[in-house]
Amino acid sequence: MKMVIAVVQSKDAGTLVDKLVARRYRVTRITTSGGFLRESNATLLIGVEDELVNDVVSIIRATCQTRNRYISPLPPMTEPGGDIYVPNPIEVQVGGATIFVVNVDQYLRI
Ligand code: 2BA
């Protein structure tokens, strides 16, 4: 058995959970946030038999979109009376999903 851990954008998470549940996969959704953008995203835990991992990944691939985000870098420390700092937004491409597939030693439902 494997645990598929998928970090996805919040905008895609609801649709993705709906699709997975409709296909009878068991899913846990956790509200998380990325360390870089500090924005809310979602992490899904999906425990599946080994032979179903590819199916789960293809559902994620078909559902989650890559999007561009723009962030403004923090201004550098300046002395009073120094130059005015006008930040140039930086474009960041946030992937459709970041997926980890890990082995599960035991799966118990009590
Ligand atoms: P964030 O950490 O908020 O990162 C959002 C996007 O910012 C990343 O998209 C990437 O394009 C960029 N980014 C992240 N760290 C960067 C850095 N040190 N320098 C320059 N650009 C950087 P994705 O790579 O698609 O990642 C989307 C989200 O997936 C991440 O949100 C994070 O929550 C998660 N993630 C990605 N890789 C991970 C990893 N190796 N371990 C744990 N979580 C990961």
Side-chain angles (χ1 to χ4, degrees):
M1 183 169 206
K2 305 283 190 210
M3 177 65 74
V4 179
I5 303 169
V7 184
V8 304
Q9 295 178 54
S10 301
K11 283 181 182 167
D12 297 321
T15 307
L16 180 57
V17 169
D18 288 347
K19 285 188 186 179
L20 290 167
V21 170
R23 297 280 288 271
R24 306 231 175 261
Y25 290 110
R26 295 172 188 269
V27 188
T28 297
R29 174 178 172 171
I30 307 170
T31 299
T32 47
S33 57
F36 190 69
L37 293 180
R38 310 287 168 100
E39 286 186 352
S40 175
N41 54 25
T43 299
L44 304 190
L45 306 179
I46 311 146
V48 286
E49 297 306 327
D50 291 20
E51 61 273 19
L52 294 173
V53 168
N54 287 343
D55 185 50
V56 167
V57 170
S58 60
I59 294 169
I60 296 170
R61 196 187 297 280
T63 310
C64 297
Q65 300 171 25
T66 298
R67 296 183 180 88
N68 291 341
R69 302 275 301 114
Y70 294 89
I71 56 169
S72 295
L74 290 173
M77 299 287 285
T78 52
E79 299 293 327
D83 292 340
I84 295 172
Y85 174 71
V86 181
N88 285 323
I90 297 171
E91 186 175 6
V92 174
Q93 193 175 66
V94 184
T98 301
I99 302 172
F100 305 87
V101 180
V102 297
N103 287 320
V104 174
D105 287 339
Q106 268 196 316
Y107 172 51
L108 305 172
R109 292 173 58 225
I110 297 169

